[in-house]
């Protein structure tokens, strides 16, 4: 477990808020012996680091600031 990503086998109860409901559920299935495709859960810390390091954060904020939140389209 490196803090940036967690394999399904590494996820524990205390990681639930960091991996979300789907990642947590898949980890339970994996640890229960069910066959689940290999996967990694990317943590919020990794996401924030990526969008900051690549400059995408500013683009996201710019786009979100262009319209009122309720007027944004979510396709």
């Amino acid at each position: 477990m490196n803090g940036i990503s967690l394999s399904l086998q590494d996820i524990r109860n205390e990681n639930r808020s960091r991996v979300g409901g789907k990642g947590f559920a898949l980890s339970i299935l994996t640890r229960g012996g069910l066959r689940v495709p290999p996967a990694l859960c990317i943590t919020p810390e990794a996401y924030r680091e990526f969008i900051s390091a690549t400059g995408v954060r500013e683009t996201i904020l710019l786009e979100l600031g262009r319209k009122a939140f309720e007027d944004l389209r979510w396709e």
Side-chain angles (χ1 to χ4, degrees), residues 29-69:
L29 294 174
T30 299
R31 287 184 278 131
L34 288 140
R35 291 178 45 183
V36 175
L40 290 174
C41 292
I42 305 301
T43 64
E45 297 87 4
Y47 172 75
R48 285 191 291 271
E49 184 177 321
F50 173 79
I51 66 169
S52 292
T54 59
V56 175
R57 183 178 191 278
E58 290 75 22
T59 302
I60 292 170
L61 292 174
L62 176 69
E63 290 299 320
L64 288 175
R66 294 187 118 148
K67 292 183 179 181
F69 187 78

Side-chain angles (χ1 to χ4, degrees), residues 5-26:
S5 64
L6 300 170
S7 70
L8 296 178
Q9 296 83 3
D10 290 335
I11 296 170
R12 299 293 176 249
N13 289 343
E14 62 270 13
N15 303 123
R16 185 176 188 157
S17 65
R18 295 179 68 213
V19 299
K22 188 179 292 184
F24 186 72
L26 288 171

